Amino acid sequence: MLAIKSRKKPSKDEVAPHAAGSDPNDPQPSSSSSSEGERTALLSAEPPPRRSHRGHRSRPPRHRHHRGGGAGAGAGAGAGTDSDSAESSQSPSPPPAAAGRARAPSYGAVGLTSAARPVAPAGGPRGASSSNWVNELADATGYRRCTPLMVLFVLCSVCTVGILPLVCWWFPAVFVRLTSIRCELSEATTLLVWGVDGEKIPKIAHVRVVPKSSEDSSEAQPLRLAIFRCFRYLFNFETDKFERVEYNVNFPFSTVHRNLPVITRTSVDIYQNTHIYGPCQIEIPMKSIPRLFVDEMLHPFFVFQMFSCVLWFFEEYYLYSMFILVASLSSAFANMYQIRVNMNKFVRMVTCNFSVTKLTSKKLMDTASGVITNDYHFQEETVDSSAILPGDLISLSEDTPVLPCDLLLLSGYAIMNEGSLTGESTPVLKSPLPIFDEAENYNPDSMSKYTIYGGTTLLCAKRVKEFAIGLVIRTGYSTSKGLLMQSILHPPPTRFTFQTDSLKYIGILFLISLGGFIYSFYLYFIHGADASTIIIRGLDLVTIIVPPALPLALTIGTLNALSRLTKEHIFCTSPKRVNEAGKVQLMTFDKTGTLTEDGLEVVGVIPSLPLDGDYTDYLSPTGTPPHMGQPVTDTSLLSPGMTATLTCCHSLGLLGKQLIGDPLDVKMVQFIGWKMSEVFDGDGHTRGMTTVLHPQEGKSHLFSSLSVLKRFEFSPTLQRQVVVARGTHPEHTSTQLLVVAKGAPEVVLRLCQRKTVPDDFEQTLAQYASQGYRLIACASKCLREDQFTMKMARELVENDLEFQGLLVLNNPLKPESAPTIRKLACSRIRSVMATGDNLQTAVCVAQLCGILRKDIPIFLGEVRGGDVVWAPLESGPASLNPLTLLPSDGTQLFQLAMTGDAFQFYLQQKGPLLDKILVRGQVFARMKPDMKKELVECFEDIGYFTGMCGDGTNDCGALKAARVGLSLSESEASIAAPFTCTVPNIKPVLTLLSEGRCALCTAFGLFKFIAGYALLQFSDVVLLYYFYCNLSDMDFLYQDLCLTIVLSFGMSKTIACKKLSQRRPTSNLVSASVLTSLLGVIAIQVGLMAGCFLLAQEQNWWIAPIVPEGATYLNTYPTAVVSLFSSLEFPTMALVWSLGWPFMMPPIYNLYLIGGLVFCVALNLFLLFQNFDWLCSLFDLPYGDIPSSLSALLSSLGSSLINTGENPPPIPTTFRYIMVAIAAAGFFITILYELTVRNWIPALFGNTRRYNPRRFKKYQLVEQEIYNRPGKKIPDLHCNLS
């Protein structure tokens, strides 16, 4: 709608003709046709100014214009003259067009607005700088490929034997810096994007240069596009930045109607738009099979495993290395298969290619006068849905039920099922965009009444004049469904420290292995070993201390928890969040549909007028002043004003004979009993369809019918709805214009005349709200015919209303809510309510379910006169000091409940008062969706590990912001939350938290077991290196695979404790309890092994090993004692680190673990006491002589004893019993130590440490300030319910 600066700055002579709205390629309208001049301005819009040559930036305009002024915002850039800015400020109409439309094609449907940034008026792509979206490429740096650096990189890759390319594969930013030079963004081929999701490592985005169309004769440079994290960015040569592509329709309604339906495009326009916006489909990036294979093969851990296998081949560990190689490849192929299957399912879910009817519109010309009329002529064309572009007009039809894009409805009506996005199965009526301007410009997000969202289902299209027309405004990932898919493909990073701490542990283990490498180098060097033996033995220690079973152990516990959650109908889209569920300290709950039932029941109407009054006027009775009566259910007793409000003030539609729309409105119309019908009239742009309501037959009323003329839709921001209707008196004698309104009582009250509000209104409102009823205020007034026009602003209608009464609805509490909240409180998990309902109603529901304690004072906060006023729920001597938010009587136990406006008031201050609000606030009412998200983020900021449970409709933002979000919905939008549940109550929260605690403890236990077994095996090998010995191939295979895998699998099957404990498991791997447990148990096991070894050396049968020249290792008593005894210690470590009460059930309930322990202990004892020569030779144990027939077989299996030719006698049976006794003693010592560490040591250290504020979270410091007890743990008043 607005012209932009042309690529070639026009001269003043060129501007003048087009300023009048003329164009040589269009029919010439009359001089008085201002709307045609606006249309010409649209058609002549062009892309932003581009650089004519490298390194030269176009001169910026003198005046930079903004969108804030509606359609005129951003105007004036088209001609590039100073006079344009004044012209745009005087009128919301578009300014004159820039020159050169025929030669210079536009960027979008109508081009870009400003020379300063690519922000398009109605139809052009615009950047994120002008929208609410974050421009992730704002901090990008440009690089372009350098051939000399590329050649140097190839040479270095050869010199490093492929190590440099491998590092660059893991860190692509390193490759960009090594092979490219930094340059301006206008010349870049690759972008390094910094600060994405707060990460320090930059991301990569590639720039694609779109070649000019063969029909484009302009001197402009080609388009430069970048696709980053599914979103498309277009380079703006004026701002020298990449900016998010968005189709701009943020303009007054009349401007949209006058200009958008008559857009025409050249072939160059279509060519450019196709590349700018891309296809109208959600393209899931599918990696090919070879690429998946390369990704798996070059994973750091897989590379380490391959390196280990090669090393073991050199050590003649053929059997072990082959097994690890086969297992690693099998795991890689299984991961590839699973990734491919999941991506295919994802693609099938978002793919929706079909044929749609595209419309091409043009205004008709009166052949007699040559004047263009306001009538349109549409030409139909059937195209594939993927070929749709923003700015296209499509005809809505039931033949294409699932919409592939976001649409602005221009003509006709549509009944949509938005359950796939919102979870609400109730059909929604979509109305055409009014032609008359309202207070705000069109916004597709806030004005959902006129917006049809992609991915929703079209149930019925009600056509006006042949067509129901929709304007395409968003395609691909810019649609509502696309944004949902993008959030799934690129979820925010988890802030859980377990993964990072585990990597730190691996780094520490690697440093320990370097010490072992130096130690082995020294030992083998003084023994005179060759260089290859020294290097292989040192590297062997590195492969030992990082075990191959570590990745499996870190995930197997989570996978089993997911399996158990699935059986409870809880599904997870982010497995990493399972462990985070174990640390939740605070749960935020939505009210309606979550704590309470979905359905509403009309209890009655509380009128404000006397029922026996004499209605001489339409609204006001004579005589007695208004007062609040008792609830009535007989609608014949209601005043005409109340009846009209309940009848007309809604946005319902008809699907056949069924009322569709908001459930509250449906219940309200069903209660009043009037019948609704729809009458089509007008031209599809003025009104198109009129809703008419008639009273039931046989019942008399002041009006025989009520027709809805204009709706001011309900807005969560305004919290009210206003409708203008025309009442027809019986026998059509006369008509009366009415204004009816309904909404939140405190909001509607401000719109009413004070004399019409009963004195006992506040008392009545508090009385019924405290009982948990939902209250809707109703008001109305008469309007003269000369006071109303269809262009009338909302502010001129909703004033001087006369209060009619309250509609009372009941929203009962779900039976599972109160017991679940009580169990959470008993486990010291705080519960908070965030709802959009009335404060008094929310407080009542919170008391019923246990979120608010009735024995502790409650203070209510509301904004009045620009400040927050606090009042006690029940009258008493105490009041709340607004400066300190502390009770005046000095009590330290109190609770806060407030409205969303009050929360926003303190949020803007961001001070200590906000912290107290977050610590003591239990109920947050009248909360909008974005407020809920901000509330969750604030809880996280002060240290709470926050969870969120909602119905998935208005809570998606909060569900994604929370550490653990549980959506009680089956809609597609709910999959953006980490967890979804098909059980329609909050009881699954208990299951999720208990399984999360169990999974977290299991992950810690498995990590300690794997790390402990690696340290124990490392100690064994270091000890054997002293005697120039080593474990055999079968020893490694037996311990690493047989014992470790069996025991790890059993540990992962630990069952969660059903009852939540007041304690929470630790999430810090470097905490005192974890370190003392891991290091203490390992020290005990290594000490016992060393003691057993020293005891064996004192025996008379001990034969000291003799190192022969050229031998790689010896199979003597040191090897036998160390391997057999260390194998006995593995079950001990597995059982000790499976003790997780009160988060996990005792090991006796884990049959898999018990079976694994029995199997491993029996197998260890069998190997210890058996005397089979062939088995001893296979494990390189002392056995005596061996039959020659087995010599060749055992040699092929890797038995090194055949190579030495030594056959020491077996270990005496007596000493074998001593080894079992020592291992048994070690078992009891380890159990006693672990229990001591769990219970006594943390308490001892906790009481002896000095006060340090850094030890406490911010919310704990606030509680200490309230109680005036710094450094002391304060009992949580919200978690002491019994």
Side-chain angles (χ1 to χ4, degrees), residues 212-278:
K212 294 173 57 177
S213 172
S214 59
E215 301 179 9
D216 189 357
S217 59
S218 65
E219 299 178 358
Q221 294 186 11
L223 303 176
R224 305 183 68 85
L225 291 172
I227 300 178
F228 182 67
R229 291 158 67 97
C230 302
F231 294 133
R232 308 176 77 88
Y233 294 84
L234 179 66
F235 184 73
N236 186 345
F237 284 88
E238 182 62 27
T239 61
D240 201 20
K241 289 182 180 181
F242 282 90
E243 298 182 355
R244 175 87 167 270
V245 172
E246 178 190 0
Y247 188 79
N248 185 11
V249 286
N250 191 358
F251 288 91
F253 297 173
S254 58
T255 306
V256 175
H257 272 293
R258 277 198 305 268
N259 298 285
L260 283 180
V262 293
I263 294 171
T264 58
R265 291 173 175 164
T266 65
S267 59
V268 178
D269 294 334
I270 298 176
Y271 174 82
Q272 290 185 337
N273 291 339
T274 302
H275 287 88
I276 291 175
Y277 294 107

Side-chain angles (χ1 to χ4, degrees), residues 332-392:
F333 283 116
N335 288 338
M336 291 170 52
Y337 174 78
Q338 190 63 43
I339 291 174
R340 193 72 177 179
V341 169
N342 292 338
M343 294 307 295
N344 285 331
K345 290 181 180 179
F346 205 56
V347 169
R348 288 193 297 268
M349 183 176 67
V350 301
T351 301
C352 56
N353 285 339
F354 42 80
S355 298
V356 297
T357 302
K358 178 180 174 182
L359 301 177
T360 303
S361 64
K362 187 175 182 180
K363 283 189 176 182
L364 299 178
M365 177 185 293
D366 188 344
T367 55
S369 61
V371 177
I372 295 179
T373 66
N374 289 326
D375 294 328
Y376 296 104
H377 172 68
F378 293 105
Q379 296 179 349
E380 300 182 40
E381 179 186 2
T382 301
V383 298
D384 188 79
S385 61
S386 61
I388 296 175
L389 294 172
D392 287 344

Side-chain angles (χ1 to χ4, degrees), residues 290-604:
R291 175 58 189 270
L292 289 175
F293 179 77
V294 172
D295 288 344
E296 291 293 333
M297 294 300 104
L298 297 184
H299 190 275
F301 199 85
F302 189 87
V303 172
F304 177 78
Q305 286 181 320
M306 294 301 101
F307 167 77
S308 302
C309 290
V310 172
L311 180 65
W312 296 330
F313 266 109
F314 280 103
E315 294 184 274
E316 300 180 353
Y317 288 168
Y318 302 121
L319 186 60
Y320 181 69
S321 58
M322 286 298 297
F323 190 94
I324 293 298
L325 179 61
V326 171
S328 300
L329 289 174
S330 300
S331 176
F333 283 116
N335 288 338
M336 291 170 52
Y337 174 78
Q338 190 63 43
I339 291 174
R340 193 72 177 179
V341 169
N342 292 338
M343 294 307 295
N344 285 331
K345 290 181 180 179
F346 205 56
V347 169
R348 288 193 297 268
M349 183 176 67
V350 301
T351 301
C352 56
N353 285 339
F354 42 80
S355 298
V356 297
T357 302
K358 178 180 174 182
L359 301 177
T360 303
S361 64
K362 187 175 182 180
K363 283 189 176 182
L364 299 178
M365 177 185 293
D366 188 344
T367 55
S369 61
V371 177
I372 295 179
T373 66
N374 289 326
D375 294 328
Y376 296 104
H377 172 68
F378 293 105
Q379 296 179 349
E380 300 182 40
E381 179 186 2
T382 301
V383 298
D384 188 79
S385 61
S386 61
I388 296 175
L389 294 172
D392 287 344
L393 298 176
I394 66 172
S395 174
L396 300 181
S397 172
E398 291 81 355
D399 296 334
T400 56
V402 179
L403 277 302
C405 53
D406 287 359
L407 299 171
L408 167 59
L409 191 58
L410 297 179
S411 174
Y413 292 78
I415 298 176
M416 307 298 301
N417 182 357
E418 297 183 344
S420 61
L421 293 181
T422 65
E424 295 285 348
S425 59
T426 304
V428 179
L429 175 66
K430 301 292 183 178
S431 300
L433 185 75
I435 194 172
F436 304 107
D437 295 339
E438 294 191 3
E440 299 179 1
N441 293 347
Y442 170 70
N443 186 306
D445 297 317
S446 61
M447 298 182 180
S448 60
K449 177 68 176 179
Y450 317 119
T451 308
I452 299 177
Y453 298 107
T456 58
T457 303
L458 176 63
L459 300 178
C460 178
K462 300 183 178 182
R463 300 168 179 80
V464 177
K465 283 200 171 182
E466 300 182 15
F467 298 106
I469 303 174
L471 171 71
V472 179
I473 58 176
R474 291 173 179 172
T475 60
Y477 282 98
S478 296
T479 63
S480 300
K481 186 173 182 178
L483 294 174
L484 173 64
M485 297 300 112
Q486 193 273 345
S487 66
I488 298 173
L489 291 173
H490 302 280
T494 58
R495 293 161 286 181
F496 204 46
T497 60
F498 176 73
Q499 298 292 336
T500 56
D501 288 347
S502 62
L503 295 178
K504 293 178 183 178
Y505 261 93
I506 294 176
I508 294 174
L509 295 178
F510 183 77
L511 294 177
I512 295 175
S513 69
L514 293 181
F517 182 89
I518 298 173
Y519 169 76
S520 66
F521 178 88
Y522 170 76
L523 288 179
Y524 277 87
F525 180 78
I526 63 176
H527 281 94
D530 57 89
S532 61
T533 302
I534 294 176
I535 295 176
I536 289 176
R537 289 301 172 205
L539 294 177
D540 198 19
L541 290 175
V542 179
T543 62
I544 288 173
I545 206 162
V546 183
L550 184 59
L552 177 63
L554 293 178
T555 58
I556 189 172
T558 301
L559 294 177
N560 285 324
L562 288 175
S563 177
R564 292 192 294 266
L565 287 174
T566 302
K567 295 179 181 178
E568 299 294 332
H569 307 285
I570 301 174
F571 306 95
C572 179
T573 59
S574 179
K576 294 181 180 180
R577 299 294 182 98
V578 176
N579 290 339
E580 296 190 36
K583 289 294 295 180
V584 170
Q585 301 166 299
L586 182 148
M587 281 298 301
T588 306
F589 292 96
D590 179 36
K591 184 184 78 70
T592 305
T594 303
L595 296 173
T596 60
E597 300 287 353
D598 289 323
L600 292 170
E601 300 175 357
V602 177
V603 177

Side-chain angles (χ1 to χ4, degrees), residues 3-125:
I4 65 154
K5 221 171 182 180
S6 61
R7 298 174 184 168
K8 217 174 164 185
K9 186 173 181 179
S11 64
K12 294 182 179 180
D13 296 336
E14 294 174 331
V15 174
H18 296 281
S22 63
D23 192 287
N25 296 318
D26 285 337
Q28 296 297 322
S30 63
S31 59
S32 61
S33 179
S34 61
S35 62
E36 186 62 18
E38 297 168 358
R39 180 177 70 88
T40 308
L42 279 173
L43 298 177
S44 62
E46 300 178 8
R50 314 233 186 147
R51 299 182 181 181
S52 58
H53 57 84
R54 180 178 298 180
H56 175 72
R57 176 181 293 184
S58 301
R59 179 177 299 175
R62 296 182 184 180
H63 299 279
R64 185 176 298 234
H65 308 282
H66 303 275
R67 290 192 300 114
T81 60
D82 295 341
S83 61
D84 292 335
S85 61
E87 189 173 352
S88 64
S89 62
Q90 295 173 1
S91 171
S93 302
R101 178 187 66 84
R103 296 186 178 182
S106 65
Y107 250 132
V110 287
L112 302 175
T113 12
S114 172
R117 61 179 184 239
V119 180

Side-chain angles (χ1 to χ4, degrees), residues 153-171 174-175 178 298 303 307:
F153 176 81
V154 173
L155 295 177
C156 294
S157 301
V158 175
C159 296
T160 58
V161 199
I163 295 179
L164 180 60
L166 186 62
V167 174
C168 293
W169 179 272
W170 295 336
F171 304 99
V174 176
F175 175 76
L178 293 179
L298 297 184
V303 172
F307 167 77

